[in-house]
Amino acid sequence: MKKVFVTGATGFIGACLARELLELGCRVKVLVRRGSNRKNLAGMDVELSEGDLCDRESLARGITGCDTLFHVAADYRLWTRDPSSMYAVNVGGTRAVLETALQKDVSRVVYTSSVGTLGNRGDGTPGTEDTPVSFSDMVGHYKKSKFLAEREAETFIERGLPLVIVNPSTPVGPYDIKPTPTGKIIVDVLNRKMPAYLDTGLNLIDVEDCARGHILAALHGRIGQKYILGNENLTLRDIFALLADISGRPAPRVKLPYTPILIAAYVNEGIARLTGREPLIPLAGVQMAKKHMFFDSAKAVRELGLPRRPVRQALERAVEWFCSEGYAPWETSHPPAPVNP
């Protein structure tokens, strides 16, 4: 990789990927939307290419001269008043950027999908890249749009694009500026705004390990293959216990029954459609919580050499960063510590 083009570099995974690429000595060019928050790119020696996933001319300008493409950008929200905009970015944008990469004869493409597009029995058995799945298994517009986008990417493999698909699980760590839905859970725990929880589970991975997994996929991944970029399977209760130990805040202790929360989420969804304000209880989030989203990343470890540092370290760095950036206050018994860039 000599010169790479990264979409989504202002976001959580994308910015971390850009930093990792620069450390490897790559020349990095990033797609940025006009008026976007570029805080995550501050101090980075990257070339900015202003444009949009739905603007093919800007994509052509950006990709020209690059030998490798990392398509990380996505509209990641659990709720949107206008789902069509999410499909336009996640499906239409993927089609546009991969079409451009094919035209520009890019030598390697890594497409960032999600474990949400993969099969998962939901009974605690970890899903793999080969677990059966269909569109009917997708919950919410984000998962549906990413499922369709992944199918779109697969058509380009058939057309000869040298593409590898990565499926990150749930990355955690510093620089989650939005924050992501998982980052918001961490912030809510730090601010003591989450008194109760549903019985569910997630697969967590340090965001830097996830970024390095992207690079390893570009270097060693087999064209046309999928790789789960994940690490530890933890119940939500386990995650809260770790956050409590790290931060000094009490962990939520009340486990709520699923059905009443689902009903409340439907009510919140109806109010949100009328007001245009994001619901306090996203329906898609509650529906997803019905399954333990556990996954097995053995294939990525075996074929790519995916690094997997302890998730506790990633949570520690996330807590340090969120508190240092003012998302939540520090506890007097847990003073701030520097976060390595």
Side-chain angles (χ1 to χ4, degrees), residues 17 32 76 112 128 170 228 313 320:
L17 172 61
V32 292
Y76 179 23
T112 307
T128 71
T170 308
I228 294 173
Q313 294 179 16
E320 289 167 1

Side-chain angles (χ1 to χ4, degrees), residues 45-109:
D45 184 19
V46 296
E47 180 183 348
L48 303 182
S49 180
E50 197 166 274
D52 190 277
L53 289 178
C54 299
D55 179 357
R56 297 202 178 206
E57 289 186 7
S58 70
L59 292 175
R61 289 195 304 270
I63 293 176
T64 297
C66 296
D67 57 82
T68 305
L69 163 68
F70 292 92
H71 178 38
V72 186
D75 186 345
Y76 179 23
R77 292 176 288 169
L78 293 183
W79 180 83
T80 173
R81 193 177 191 181
D82 179 17
S84 64
S85 63
M86 182 174 284
Y87 288 90
V89 170
N90 292 348
V91 185
T94 294
R95 182 186 307 117
V97 73
L98 297 184
E99 184 73 55
T100 305
L102 188 63
Q103 294 171 356
K104 294 294 182 179
D105 199 27
V106 173
S107 60
R108 181 55 65 102
V109 177

